[in-house]
Amino acid sequence: MPFRLLIPTLDRRLCRWVPWLAIWALSGCSTVSYYSQLANAQVRLLAAREPVADVVADPARDPGLRQRLELSQEARAFASAELGLPDNQSYRLYADIHRPNVVWNVFATPELSLQPLTHCFPIAGCVAYRGYYGDAGAQAEAKRLKAQGLDVYVGGVEAYSTLGWFDDPILSSMLRWGDQRLAETIFHELAHQKFYLPGDTAFNESYASFVEAEGGRRWRAARHLPDESPLLAQQRKRFTQLVLDTRERLQTLYASPASDAQKRAGKQAEFERLRRDYARLRDQEWGGKAPFDAWVNSPLNNAKLLPFGLYDQWVPAFAALFAQVGGNWPAFYARVEKLGALPPSERTAALEKLKAGGVVSFR
């Protein structure tokens, strides 16, 4: 979309933010500064967008870029036609952001707890991280939190969704991936636009991850394609379970009557166990090769474990829900919406029942 056509869209949509900006202005200079960097960076990103069709049709543009974007549009059309996902301008635009990540998320926990430091936002609700459009800002926040004695982890993010508030572009950072991951990420982010429950990250990400996985399976079947790397998928699953097992043992340790000194020693012992278990798995089952060495061998703390599990905790429950409606996408989305409308305790009980193979009825 040319910049001259973007101005009215920005004016109309940013007007919705004016009441929130007034609230932020009353919340202190640091809050205003934080939201200013978000708003300024988002505006710059939107201004950088251009229609994918124009890039693909331009013989002066890089042939590799044009080819990747052309494939992305096949996945984009498939998302709406076959998966029932929103049919709008999102992911029909492209933006070169000239950096490897679009956002850097800062996670933090107490030293002897896995309870995340949460941040609440007007649209997304409360989440277990704070995002920065630049690595320097994220590292400055991480330094501030570490000075408070918190465990801190900074992770780069290559794509995100504005939940339909803006026409999200395909980012240059996304094109570093293989074709399968690119297509599945489009499905994942559009699923967030279809439904999003403020304040429940595990629900939102598990739901979108199911749509991503099932959509990817159907996408590959339609194109007669195998998985790009079945071994990598298996490695990710096993590695994630190692981390989740470590997190579970740490939860038990932190809830125990042990002294803080004993908990600190136990914490370090658990991280060393994670490294040993990973090395054994890599060397004995994966031929000495796996893509997680850098993560495992860099400093470990509670905050670094937070992202694990959020994206797959309830995936089996959503798979069961999808099966109950016979693979009908509109019916599935309708039931996801009904699940989301339940009070938190009832929603969790329903997800647990689905995950265990039970049937949940909806009025």
Side-chain angles (χ1 to χ4, degrees):
M1 184 181 296
F3 183 71
R4 57 186 173 83
L5 296 181
L6 181 62
I7 298 297
T9 303
L10 281 175
D11 288 344
R12 173 172 60 84
R13 294 192 177 186
L14 286 178
C15 283
R16 299 153 121 180
W17 290 79
V18 171
W20 293 109
L21 291 173
I23 294 172
W24 298 332
L26 299 174
S27 303
C29 293
S30 63
T31 301
V32 173
S33 174
Y34 173 72
Y35 281 106
S36 293
Q37 65 93 22
L38 290 182
N40 290 336
Q42 180 66 42
V43 169
R44 289 197 301 271
L45 188 152
L46 295 176
R49 298 175 305 176
E50 54 185 325
V52 168
D54 289 357
V55 179
V56 171
D58 185 354
R61 302 296 285 266
D62 177 71
L65 172 64
R66 293 166 62 199
Q67 182 181 33
R68 297 301 309 288
L69 289 177
E70 188 170 19
L71 179 136
S72 77
Q73 296 312 280
E74 295 175 14
R76 180 63 185 83
F78 185 89
S80 295
E82 302 298 330
L83 308 181
L85 292 169
D87 190 2
N88 53 32
Q89 280 298 100
S90 288
Y91 309 108
R92 292 188 168 107
L93 304 165
Y94 170 69
D96 189 343
I97 60 174
H98 304 287
R99 57 184 189 270
N101 298 305
V102 62
V103 170
W104 284 260
N105 285 339
V106 181
F107 299 86
T109 71
E111 180 192 9
L112 299 176
S113 171
L114 286 164
Q115 185 65 36
L117 181 66
T118 58
H119 306 274
C120 299
F121 301 93
I123 300 171
C126 297
V127 295
Y129 53 83
R130 205 176 195 199
Y132 290 81
Y133 276 90
D135 183 48
Q139 294 299 337
E141 174 67 2
K143 183 178 180 180
R144 185 184 71 84
L145 294 172
K146 287 178 183 177
Q148 298 177 17
L150 299 174
D151 279 12
V152 182
Y153 173 66
V154 177
V157 178
E158 296 146 315
Y160 71 94
S161 170
T162 61
L163 309 179
W165 278 67
F166 300 103
D167 295 328
D168 295 316
I170 294 170
L171 303 172
S172 53
S173 52
M174 297 165 62
L175 297 183
R176 299 161 59 201
W177 304 332
D179 293 346
Q180 178 177 314
R181 187 179 176 194
L182 176 60
E184 290 177 348
T185 298
I186 291 172
F187 304 156
H188 183 108
E189 301 301 347
L190 286 172
H192 284 314
Q193 290 191 18
K194 187 74 175 179
F195 182 80
Y196 184 86
L197 180 62
D200 194 332
T201 303
F203 182 96
N204 293 322
E205 296 302 345
S206 295
Y207 147 70
S209 292
F210 168 75
V211 175
E212 168 190 328
E214 179 62 21
R217 187 187 67 78
R218 296 187 178 208
W219 163 254
R220 293 189 299 274
R223 296 170 64 86
H224 307 290
L225 297 173
D227 284 348
E228 284 185 337
S229 177
L231 174 60
L232 179 58
Q234 190 259 354
Q235 288 176 328
R236 284 177 180 155
K237 183 176 180 180
R238 295 287 300 279
F239 179 67
T240 297
Q241 191 58 54
L242 278 181
V243 177
L244 292 178
D245 290 344
T246 300
R247 199 166 73 180
E248 186 66 28
R249 292 192 298 270
L250 285 171
Q251 290 273 30
T252 301
L253 172 67
Y254 297 148
S256 75
S259 68
D260 285 356
Q262 290 172 324
K263 290 179 181 179
R264 290 189 184 97
K267 174 183 177 180
Q268 295 309 313
E270 285 297 343
F271 289 141
E272 288 307 313
R273 176 177 174 177
L274 172 60
R275 290 190 173 103
R276 288 195 306 272
D277 290 347
Y278 167 72
R280 187 180 305 112
L281 185 63
R282 179 198 60 201
D283 297 340
Q284 295 181 6
E285 297 189 27
W286 299 337
K289 296 181 180 179
F292 314 112
D293 286 17
W295 189 95
V296 169
N297 293 325
S298 60
L300 297 175
N301 62 31
N302 295 329
K304 196 169 182 178
L305 308 185
L306 287 180
F308 287 84
L310 288 176
Y311 283 69
D312 50 22
Q313 179 179 352
W314 300 119
V315 168
F318 287 108
L321 189 64
F322 189 71
Q324 287 181 18
V325 297
N328 180 283
W329 285 108
F332 171 72
Y333 295 128
R335 293 202 176 188
V336 169
E337 188 170 348
K338 288 182 178 179
L339 264 180
L342 294 174
S345 60
E346 293 182 28
R347 182 167 63 247
T348 299
L351 289 167
E352 291 283 10
K353 187 174 182 180
L354 287 165
K355 189 175 181 178
V359 176
V360 175
S361 59
F362 297 90
R363 293 191 296 271

